[in-house]
Structure formats: C-alpha cells, structure tokens
Amino acid sequence: MKIERELLRGAGPLAVLKLLERAEMYGYEIVEALAQRTSGVLAMGQSTLYPLLYNLEAKGLIQSRWLAAESGRERRYYSLTGKGRKRLKEDCERWSALASAMAALGIVSPGRATLAAAGGAA
Amino acid sequence: MNPQGHDASGPDHQSGPGALTAPQSLLFRNLGGPYLFWWMRPGAGLRKNHAAALGASLPQPVRELVRSVVRSTRLWRREKLSVARELVAHFHDGLDAGRPPDELIGAFGDPRAAARLIRRAKKRNRPLIWHAWVRAWQALGLLFALLIALYIILSIRFYSGSPRIRVDHLAEINAPSLAIPEADRAWPVYERILAAVPKLDHGLTGFHPLDEDWPLTVGVIDRNQPQIDSLRAAAQMRALGHVSAFAGDGGLMDGTLISVLLPQLGELRKAARLLASDARVALTRGEAERFQADLIALHGVALHAGEGPFLIGDMVSWAIFALELQTISAALDEAPQLLREEHLVELIHRIASYSGQDGVAWAPIVPDLSGERRFFMDLIQRLYTDGPGGDGHLTDEGLSLLASLTNSTEPGLSVGTRLAGPLAAAVVADRKAMIAEYERILSASHAGHGTNMWEARTDPEAEIEFNTWRTARYPVVSVLLPALTRAWSGGQQLTQRRDAMVAVLAMELYQREHGAYPDSLAALTPKYLPAPPIDRQTGEPLKYVLRDGKPVLYSVGFDKDDDGGRWPAGRDAEFFATKWSPHPAPLTTLLPGESTAHNGDWVLWPPMPHTPKPSDQPGADTIFEADKSGG
C-alpha cells in the first residue's frame, strides 16, 4: 500500500528515529528495515531517506559517524542523540493519542490502536 | 549490525574514542568546527580522489546517477564529497545484497528531487556563522530593495507637481510708490543730484574739526553746495517713491524677491553723509539757519530710507537718524547758542516722532519684519507645490533654487545632488511646517512682539539652535531668518538715544528759562516732557545727576549697577562706551578675572570727549562710526 506524501512526512522521521532506538544503522540498512518491517507501507526511496537523515542530523536528533566494515568498505552509521530519544518518546505519545482517536472513530481497529499505544509507551 | 570500526575521515566524521556526545557535537558543528579541523588536517585535498576511487567500482549507470545527483546539489566541495561517499556506500550495499543496478536506480527515486532535498538538508547542517552571514545578506538585500522602493515613491512625489506663483510680492511692495505721482517722488531727484556729486572716497573722512581730515571735508562740502541745497529740497518731499526692480541678470534667483535691487539705500546714506557734514561745517561757522535746515533734511532722508517694508531699509534709516542725533549732540555740546528756543522745541517734537511706527511719538523703535516675511513667503511659493490646505512639497525646481541660494558659487545642481533630490525633499520640511517654524521663531523673538529691553529675560535667538539636523530640515528658515536680536537691540538702543536726546533738549530749554539745569528729571514734566525718559535696561527713569552744575544723564547699563554716571574705564573703554550691548560682552573679549568687559554706565549726556582721528586711518570716518553704533 502506498502512503501519501503528507502522511509520510510526519511518519517517516518518527519511523527512522524508532529504528535507531535500539542500535546505530547505516542508510541502506534503514531503507531495507523500513520496507520489511512495515511491509512496504513506509518504504521510501533513497532520494527521500538521505535528505531526511540530514535534516534529523541538522536538528540534533541523530548523529553520524563513518566506520569501516570488515570488508574494508566505509559506511556512515546513524544513531540517536539524547535529544532524539526525547523527541521519539514525545512523538510516540502523540501518535498513540492519534491512533486511539482513530480507533474511537472506527478508522483503525482497537487492537491496532492498543498496539500502537503500547509501542508509544515503550 | 555493529561494524568493526576504524577511523574514517571526512568533514562530518565523528568516530572512535574521541566521538562527541550529541549536544557537544551540535555545538561543535554549528560553530563550524568539523570543517575547520578537516581542512587543517593533512591530506584533505585527496578526499575527492578517494571518493572518485570509491565510485569507480560501481557500474557505469549507478556511477552516473551518483555523479549526477552530487553535481546537482551545488553544495560546497566537502559537502559533495560527503554525499558522494554515502551514496557510493549505499549502492555498494545494494549490489552486495544482490540487487541489480537497474533496480537500485529505480528505487533511488527522482535524482533531481533528491539533489534538491539533499541540498536543502545539507545547508541546514552548515555552521551558524554561515547562516548568520546568509541572513545578513538577505536582510541587506531586503533593506536595499525597500530603499529602492522608497526612493521610487519619493521620486514620484518629488518630480510630480511644480511651484505656482500666486502672489506678486514685488508688485505689492511697489504699489504704494506707484500710487505717488512721479512729480512727487523724491527718489528721481536724489538720483539726479547725487549723480553730480563726485565719489566721496577721499572726502568726509573727518567729521570733527579736530580730525586731521577735517579740511578735506570742508573742501568737499564747499564744492558741492548746489547739490546740498537740492538735497535739502529732495529730503522735504512727501515720499521717496522708489520702485524696486529685479537685477535682470538671468540668474536662477532673478525674479525672486530676495534678488530685488535696493540702490536707494546706498545713495541715501551718501546724501546723509553730505548733509551731516554740511551741518558740522555750519556749526563751526555759526550758521544757525543752515544748521537747522540740514537737521531737517537729515530727518527727511532718514524717513525716506525707512520707506518700504525692508528691514535693511530700517537699519539704514536708523543709522541716519543716529547721525542726526549725533549732530544735535555736537551742537548742544559745542555751540548750544546756535539753537534758538523755537529750534529746540521743534527738534523735541521731530525727534520724538521718529519711531518707525507711523510717526507715533515716543513709541519704541522696532524693526519692521513684514518685508522679511515677504522674502520668505516669496521663496516658499517658488520652492514648494501649492497643495490643498496650503501645504505642499519641495520640488525639483525648488531644490535647484534652494541650492543656488545656499551655494551661490556653483550654479545648478550636480548629478549627485540631483539624484539625492527626492531624499532631500523627504528630509526638508513640507510647506506648512516650514512656514510654521518661521512664524514660531519670529513670534518667539523680541523683535517679533516688540519686547522692551528690560522685559527680555533671555536672548531668544540663543534658543534657536540651528544644528545640522534643523538646518537640513528647515533650510529656508536658517537662510532667510534675519538677525532678529541684532535688529531688536538696535531699535532698543536707538530708542534710548532718542529719548535721552529729547530729555537733553528739554533740559536745555529749562536751563534757558530758569538759568540753571533742573535738580531732577521730574522737574521737566509736564511742561517740557510728558514723562521722564525710561532706562531701557531697567524700566525705571534714566539716572540724572548734576556734576559741577552740568547735567549727566545715563543708563545703568547691562550690569544694572549704578556707577554714578561714569564712563566705562580701562581696556577698550571708548569702545564699550559707544557700542552698547543689551547682552554680556562676548567671552572672547573678556580677560581672565573680568566678569564683564564694559563695567560702567551708558552715559547718554554729555557726549564722550572726541579723540581726534589721524588721516588715512582705517575707521577714521566718524560718520561711519555713528552709523555703526546706530545700526
């Protein structure tokens, strides 16, 4: 399913922050993870991802570093900053509230809303 | 997921044990630290080649895509390097994952949109100093655009509209003269007579018989008796009837009232010098009727000079009247018997009637500012548009006129001045405000409402501070405002001289009737004087004492300290005795320890003993001395 740009504008950064919550990741890895974990719903082209990463970095929500893999090839790894973690928590709460509201309207099923709320609380 | 890292390099590289925490990292980046340190590190210039080498291992289409995106970002070189490295790494990861190049290219998205978004995002990552620089330039550009827009608006206003001449001030000024039949006008007679008198450069430089040049003066007077007779007749004519005209030189100012010619004033001064010298000669020769005729003529010339609304005419008239008083004073001092009683009475009435206020006796002598107002209003109507409600703005034509008024050496406007015209017009007060400021200053001045000297608390001109801003805002006022205090104090001083002279004439009459001078001024009233003369410094009657049976009449002077009727003593005594001032002496004339340079009284009678003037000495012309002290 294809998500409209306006919807993705708010969800994309949050999704990236959530992915980086557990560990640092490089660009291709993030693209792949988004596509797989969201069944392609939040899949984004690299032309969207890298500007998004640079913007998050400009806002101080993530930071990056270059590291060389065992193969010798360099990759740029992104990780959350303290500010990024705080923002992630806040955004998750907002999305949970939104999902609950959507559930109340019957737009999304209660189970999914609860799931979303649980994710936000985590 | 976690790689086995080793140090990699680049402007935005933060790795290894020394990697910074996020807040430090942000601050560090905002201040431009990574860029600075990266460029300072050796081998930085090789990074481009390094990136190219990385990209070289990619398939041709992918490499072209990376190159195209990176080139389209139009970022700084080091930023491009960073983006290229990341994209190359990205595509290598994709290829390593077994995805074909075409699929990777397809999944990448629109390269142009990518380049645009990357550029925008990367610019946000630039240091604060760069953002400040950009904002500063943007603000400057905005300001410049606003100024241009403002200049255009001001230019439209400036170049639209032109002055409209509504009032022909010269015609209004000339109307009274033109109403006089030509045969009754004195000016053509004066002109004809004085044309026959040789230049006085080498005559009349001695006004007192003790002066070295006195014989020269007597020679000039004797040679010009026919002309002097004619002058007496001209001086008795009802009115001067001078019709003023413009210079007609075609200059920018030609046609404005301030360019009007007033040749009559110089000629009347010349006539007055001849008549006063003739009176002096008559005095030495004991010719009473001739002396009296000259005095009458002098008075007539003074009144003729004051005809018309021009302040400069008043000043010339005052100077001639002062000369008349000086001549009477000389007669009373040196040969009082020359003046018979009926002469004395006639003189009292004639002198008392001189006030410049339509012959109102005893009225203070005040400057007529109506001509000054006309000068101002005439210029205003040539500078400004004539808008609704009497308002208007400065015009291009008006600015040229104003420039020629303030800088007569350079005709016309320079290109720079012309370009600045709309801005100048925005600074210069509009028509209404300019007129209001002029009227405000005039009405606040002593001259504007005829303040008596003893009522003047401060010098109003000192309150009119024409600093740079006010001069720029009210240039017409600053240029055309007359020397109000000087005009006012000149009138006050002449009033004092006039009133004192009337009292002295009355004292002489009293003495002839009673065989001695009065004990007080009160003894003169009401038979000889309606009231004792006022000391214009205090508002009280003038001081009067008898010294060796001779009267001494004096004002206490600026310091209001009664020094017993003594002349100022010490340095420049004669100067301060004759150059009365209603104000403290300028500080430049004071010596250390002196509070005032003219301590003493303003002795109005008797006259100061004459100091003979040597020949050919600058300032030897005693007639001019009288002119100066009167004006």
PDB file of all heavy atoms in Angstrom, chain B residues 400-426:
ATOM      1  N   SER B 400      16.682  73.246  -6.863  1.00  0.00           N
ATOM      2  CA  SER B 400      17.714  73.977  -7.614  1.00  0.00           C
ATOM      3  C   SER B 400      17.834  75.402  -7.082  1.00  0.00           C
ATOM      4  O   SER B 400      18.938  75.923  -6.905  1.00  0.00           O
ATOM      5  CB  SER B 400      17.371  74.006  -9.107  1.00  0.00           C
ATOM      6  OG  SER B 400      17.295  72.704  -9.611  1.00  0.00           O
ATOM      7  N   LEU B 401      16.691  75.988  -6.828  1.00  0.00           N
ATOM      8  CA  LEU B 401      16.667  77.361  -6.322  1.00  0.00           C
ATOM      9  C   LEU B 401      17.300  77.425  -4.930  1.00  0.00           C
ATOM     10  O   LEU B 401      18.101  78.314  -4.641  1.00  0.00           O
ATOM     11  CB  LEU B 401      15.210  77.838  -6.268  1.00  0.00           C
ATOM     12  CG  LEU B 401      14.971  79.337  -6.193  1.00  0.00           C
ATOM     13  CD1 LEU B 401      15.533  80.033  -7.414  1.00  0.00           C
ATOM     14  CD2 LEU B 401      13.473  79.615  -6.098  1.00  0.00           C
ATOM     15  N   LEU B 402      16.941  76.462  -4.133  1.00  0.00           N
ATOM     16  CA  LEU B 402      17.467  76.409  -2.773  1.00  0.00           C
ATOM     17  C   LEU B 402      18.983  76.213  -2.792  1.00  0.00           C
ATOM     18  O   LEU B 402      19.713  76.825  -2.010  1.00  0.00           O
ATOM     19  CB  LEU B 402      16.792  75.263  -2.012  1.00  0.00           C
ATOM     20  CG  LEU B 402      16.931  75.250  -0.494  1.00  0.00           C
ATOM     21  CD1 LEU B 402      16.403  76.537   0.107  1.00  0.00           C
ATOM     22  CD2 LEU B 402      16.186  74.062   0.075  1.00  0.00           C
ATOM     23  N   ALA B 403      19.441  75.349  -3.697  1.00  0.00           N
ATOM     24  CA  ALA B 403      20.882  75.092  -3.796  1.00  0.00           C
ATOM     25  C   ALA B 403      21.616  76.360  -4.212  1.00  0.00           C
ATOM     26  O   ALA B 403      22.695  76.663  -3.703  1.00  0.00           O
ATOM     27  CB  ALA B 403      21.138  73.967  -4.790  1.00  0.00           C
ATOM     28  N   SER B 404      21.042  77.096  -5.152  1.00  0.00           N
ATOM     29  CA  SER B 404      21.710  78.321  -5.596  1.00  0.00           C
ATOM     30  C   SER B 404      21.669  79.380  -4.490  1.00  0.00           C
ATOM     31  O   SER B 404      22.539  80.238  -4.422  1.00  0.00           O
ATOM     32  CB  SER B 404      21.057  78.856  -6.867  1.00  0.00           C
ATOM     33  OG  SER B 404      19.772  79.339  -6.579  1.00  0.00           O
ATOM     34  N   LEU B 405      20.702  79.279  -3.620  1.00  0.00           N
ATOM     35  CA  LEU B 405      20.597  80.242  -2.520  1.00  0.00           C
ATOM     36  C   LEU B 405      21.656  79.957  -1.462  1.00  0.00           C
ATOM     37  O   LEU B 405      22.255  80.870  -0.895  1.00  0.00           O
ATOM     38  CB  LEU B 405      19.204  80.142  -1.892  1.00  0.00           C
ATOM     39  CG  LEU B 405      18.893  81.095  -0.749  1.00  0.00           C
ATOM     40  CD1 LEU B 405      18.828  82.520  -1.256  1.00  0.00           C
ATOM     41  CD2 LEU B 405      17.576  80.729  -0.096  1.00  0.00           C
ATOM     42  N   THR B 406      21.889  78.672  -1.200  1.00  0.00           N
ATOM     43  CA  THR B 406      22.838  78.309  -0.148  1.00  0.00           C
ATOM     44  C   THR B 406      24.262  78.197  -0.668  1.00  0.00           C
ATOM     45  O   THR B 406      25.206  78.215   0.091  1.00  0.00           O
ATOM     46  CB  THR B 406      22.448  76.966   0.499  1.00  0.00           C
ATOM     47  OG1 THR B 406      22.295  75.988  -0.534  1.00  0.00           O
ATOM     48  CG2 THR B 406      21.140  77.097   1.242  1.00  0.00           C
ATOM     49  N   ASN B 407      24.409  78.055  -1.977  1.00  0.00           N
ATOM     50  CA  ASN B 407      25.742  77.954  -2.556  1.00  0.00           C
ATOM     51  C   ASN B 407      25.757  78.730  -3.860  1.00  0.00           C
ATOM     52  O   ASN B 407      25.527  78.179  -4.931  1.00  0.00           O
ATOM     53  CB  ASN B 407      26.110  76.481  -2.796  1.00  0.00           C
ATOM     54  CG  ASN B 407      27.522  76.339  -3.319  1.00  0.00           C
ATOM     55  OD1 ASN B 407      28.288  77.292  -3.325  1.00  0.00           O
ATOM     56  ND2 ASN B 407      27.867  75.146  -3.777  1.00  0.00           N
ATOM     57  N   SER B 408      26.049  80.011  -3.734  1.00  0.00           N
ATOM     58  CA  SER B 408      25.958  80.883  -4.909  1.00  0.00           C
ATOM     59  C   SER B 408      27.146  80.718  -5.852  1.00  0.00           C
ATOM     60  O   SER B 408      27.128  81.207  -6.967  1.00  0.00           O
ATOM     61  CB  SER B 408      25.875  82.339  -4.457  1.00  0.00           C
ATOM     62  OG  SER B 408      26.994  82.659  -3.653  1.00  0.00           O
ATOM     63  N   THR B 409      28.189  79.985  -5.408  1.00  0.00           N
ATOM     64  CA  THR B 409      29.377  79.891  -6.258  1.00  0.00           C
ATOM     65  C   THR B 409      29.230  78.841  -7.350  1.00  0.00           C
ATOM     66  O   THR B 409      29.884  78.901  -8.370  1.00  0.00           O
ATOM     67  CB  THR B 409      30.617  79.542  -5.411  1.00  0.00           C
ATOM     68  OG1 THR B 409      30.336  78.341  -4.692  1.00  0.00           O
ATOM     69  CG2 THR B 409      30.927  80.667  -4.431  1.00  0.00           C
ATOM     70  N   GLU B 410      28.368  77.869  -7.128  1.00  0.00           N
ATOM     71  CA  GLU B 410      28.215  76.813  -8.136  1.00  0.00           C
ATOM     72  C   GLU B 410      26.789  76.805  -8.658  1.00  0.00           C
ATOM     73  O   GLU B 410      25.877  76.318  -7.989  1.00  0.00           O
ATOM     74  CB  GLU B 410      28.540  75.444  -7.517  1.00  0.00           C
ATOM     75  CG  GLU B 410      30.008  75.287  -7.189  1.00  0.00           C
ATOM     76  CD  GLU B 410      30.299  73.930  -6.570  1.00  0.00           C
ATOM     77  OE1 GLU B 410      29.484  73.004  -6.748  1.00  0.00           O
ATOM     78  OE2 GLU B 410      31.327  73.816  -5.911  1.00  0.00           O
ATOM     79  N   PRO B 411      26.607  77.349  -9.857  1.00  0.00           N
ATOM     80  CA  PRO B 411      25.255  77.381 -10.398  1.00  0.00           C
ATOM     81  C   PRO B 411      24.777  75.981 -10.772  1.00  0.00           C
ATOM     82  O   PRO B 411      25.562  75.143 -11.228  1.00  0.00           O
ATOM     83  CB  PRO B 411      25.398  78.265 -11.651  1.00  0.00           C
ATOM     84  CG  PRO B 411      26.838  78.167 -12.027  1.00  0.00           C
ATOM     85  CD  PRO B 411      27.599  77.926 -10.771  1.00  0.00           C
ATOM     86  N   GLY B 412      23.509  75.744 -10.593  1.00  0.00           N
ATOM     87  CA  GLY B 412      22.935  74.461 -10.972  1.00  0.00           C
ATOM     88  C   GLY B 412      23.269  73.369  -9.983  1.00  0.00           C
ATOM     89  O   GLY B 412      24.012  73.565  -9.030  1.00  0.00           O
ATOM     90  N   LEU B 413      22.689  72.202 -10.230  1.00  0.00           N
ATOM     91  CA  LEU B 413      22.881  71.074  -9.325  1.00  0.00           C
ATOM     92  C   LEU B 413      23.820  70.061  -9.948  1.00  0.00           C
ATOM     93  O   LEU B 413      23.779  69.820 -11.152  1.00  0.00           O
ATOM     94  CB  LEU B 413      21.531  70.396  -9.045  1.00  0.00           C
ATOM     95  CG  LEU B 413      20.513  71.161  -8.200  1.00  0.00           C
ATOM     96  CD1 LEU B 413      19.252  70.347  -8.066  1.00  0.00           C
ATOM     97  CD2 LEU B 413      21.081  71.475  -6.846  1.00  0.00           C
ATOM     98  N   SER B 414      24.661  69.463  -9.121  1.00  0.00           N
ATOM     99  CA  SER B 414      25.499  68.378  -9.611  1.00  0.00           C
ATOM    100  C   SER B 414      24.617  67.141  -9.791  1.00  0.00           C
ATOM    101  O   SER B 414      23.489  67.090  -9.282  1.00  0.00           O
ATOM    102  CB  SER B 414      26.611  68.098  -8.601  1.00  0.00           C
ATOM    103  OG  SER B 414      26.036  67.592  -7.412  1.00  0.00           O
ATOM    104  N   VAL B 415      25.173  66.153 -10.519  1.00  0.00           N
ATOM    105  CA  VAL B 415      24.395  64.927 -10.756  1.00  0.00           C
ATOM    106  C   VAL B 415      24.048  64.268  -9.429  1.00  0.00           C
ATOM    107  O   VAL B 415      22.926  63.813  -9.211  1.00  0.00           O
ATOM    108  CB  VAL B 415      25.205  63.957 -11.657  1.00  0.00           C
ATOM    109  CG1 VAL B 415      24.449  62.645 -11.820  1.00  0.00           C
ATOM    110  CG2 VAL B 415      25.457  64.597 -13.011  1.00  0.00           C
ATOM    111  N   GLY B 416      25.033  64.238  -8.524  1.00  0.00           N
ATOM    112  CA  GLY B 416      24.812  63.615  -7.223  1.00  0.00           C
ATOM    113  C   GLY B 416      23.699  64.302  -6.447  1.00  0.00           C
ATOM    114  O   GLY B 416      22.822  63.655  -5.878  1.00  0.00           O
ATOM    115  N   THR B 417      23.724  65.626  -6.465  1.00  0.00           N
ATOM    116  CA  THR B 417      22.693  66.378  -5.744  1.00  0.00           C
ATOM    117  C   THR B 417      21.333  66.137  -6.359  1.00  0.00           C
ATOM    118  O   THR B 417      20.329  66.011  -5.664  1.00  0.00           O
ATOM    119  CB  THR B 417      23.033  67.881  -5.778  1.00  0.00           C
ATOM    120  OG1 THR B 417      24.370  68.049  -5.360  1.00  0.00           O
ATOM    121  CG2 THR B 417      22.109  68.664  -4.869  1.00  0.00           C
ATOM    122  N   ARG B 418      21.320  66.063  -7.693  1.00  0.00           N
ATOM    123  CA  ARG B 418      20.045  65.857  -8.375  1.00  0.00           C
ATOM    124  C   ARG B 418      19.473  64.481  -8.027  1.00  0.00           C
ATOM    125  O   ARG B 418      18.277  64.334  -7.814  1.00  0.00           O
ATOM    126  CB  ARG B 418      20.253  66.001  -9.885  1.00  0.00           C
ATOM    127  CG  ARG B 418      18.956  66.153 -10.656  1.00  0.00           C
ATOM    128  CD  ARG B 418      19.212  66.675 -12.045  1.00  0.00           C
ATOM    129  NE  ARG B 418      19.496  68.093 -12.049  1.00  0.00           N
ATOM    130  CZ  ARG B 418      18.577  69.047 -11.942  1.00  0.00           C
ATOM    131  NH1 ARG B 418      17.319  68.714 -11.807  1.00  0.00           N
ATOM    132  NH2 ARG B 418      18.908  70.309 -11.961  1.00  0.00           N
ATOM    133  N   LEU B 419      20.364  63.482  -7.985  1.00  0.00           N
ATOM    134  CA  LEU B 419      19.895  62.129  -7.635  1.00  0.00           C
ATOM    135  C   LEU B 419      19.406  62.088  -6.192  1.00  0.00           C
ATOM    136  O   LEU B 419      18.484  61.344  -5.862  1.00  0.00           O
ATOM    137  CB  LEU B 419      21.027  61.114  -7.825  1.00  0.00           C
ATOM    138  CG  LEU B 419      21.341  60.735  -9.274  1.00  0.00           C
ATOM    139  CD1 LEU B 419      22.568  59.837  -9.339  1.00  0.00           C
ATOM    140  CD2 LEU B 419      20.145  60.023  -9.923  1.00  0.00           C
ATOM    141  N   ALA B 420      20.056  62.878  -5.366  1.00  0.00           N
ATOM    142  CA  ALA B 420      19.657  62.893  -3.955  1.00  0.00           C
ATOM    143  C   ALA B 420      18.447  63.779  -3.712  1.00  0.00           C
ATOM    144  O   ALA B 420      17.965  63.863  -2.584  1.00  0.00           O
ATOM    145  CB  ALA B 420      20.835  63.373  -3.091  1.00  0.00           C
ATOM    146  N   GLY B 421      17.978  64.416  -4.764  1.00  0.00           N
ATOM    147  CA  GLY B 421      16.852  65.346  -4.636  1.00  0.00           C
ATOM    148  C   GLY B 421      15.638  64.759  -3.948  1.00  0.00           C
ATOM    149  O   GLY B 421      15.133  65.347  -2.978  1.00  0.00           O
ATOM    150  N   PRO B 422      15.154  63.606  -4.391  1.00  0.00           N
ATOM    151  CA  PRO B 422      13.974  63.037  -3.724  1.00  0.00           C
ATOM    152  C   PRO B 422      14.200  62.776  -2.245  1.00  0.00           C
ATOM    153  O   PRO B 422      13.304  62.955  -1.434  1.00  0.00           O
ATOM    154  CB  PRO B 422      13.745  61.719  -4.487  1.00  0.00           C
ATOM    155  CG  PRO B 422      14.359  61.951  -5.825  1.00  0.00           C
ATOM    156  CD  PRO B 422      15.542  62.832  -5.588  1.00  0.00           C
ATOM    157  N   LEU B 423      15.427  62.371  -1.888  1.00  0.00           N
ATOM    158  CA  LEU B 423      15.718  62.123  -0.474  1.00  0.00           C
ATOM    159  C   LEU B 423      15.761  63.447   0.288  1.00  0.00           C
ATOM    160  O   LEU B 423      15.263  63.545   1.411  1.00  0.00           O
ATOM    161  CB  LEU B 423      17.050  61.389  -0.330  1.00  0.00           C
ATOM    162  CG  LEU B 423      17.130  60.026  -1.026  1.00  0.00           C
ATOM    163  CD1 LEU B 423      18.519  59.432  -0.868  1.00  0.00           C
ATOM    164  CD2 LEU B 423      16.100  59.076  -0.440  1.00  0.00           C
ATOM    165  N   ALA B 424      16.386  64.445  -0.351  1.00  0.00           N
ATOM    166  CA  ALA B 424      16.453  65.763   0.294  1.00  0.00           C
ATOM    167  C   ALA B 424      15.048  66.304   0.532  1.00  0.00           C
ATOM    168  O   ALA B 424      14.768  66.878   1.590  1.00  0.00           O
ATOM    169  CB  ALA B 424      17.254  66.722  -0.575  1.00  0.00           C
ATOM    170  N   ALA B 425      14.191  66.081  -0.457  1.00  0.00           N
ATOM    171  CA  ALA B 425      12.818  66.584  -0.323  1.00  0.00           C
ATOM    172  C   ALA B 425      12.092  65.893   0.825  1.00  0.00           C
ATOM    173  O   ALA B 425      11.187  66.470   1.426  1.00  0.00           O
ATOM    174  CB  ALA B 425      12.057  66.366  -1.625  1.00  0.00           C
ATOM    175  N   ALA B 426      12.513  64.657   1.110  1.00  0.00           N
ATOM    176  CA  ALA B 426      11.874  63.941   2.222  1.00  0.00           C
ATOM    177  C   ALA B 426      12.354  64.477   3.563  1.00  0.00           C
ATOM    178  O   ALA B 426      11.633  64.428   4.551  1.00  0.00           O
ATOM    179  CB  ALA B 426      12.180  62.447   2.115  1.00  0.00           C
TER     180      ALA B 426
END
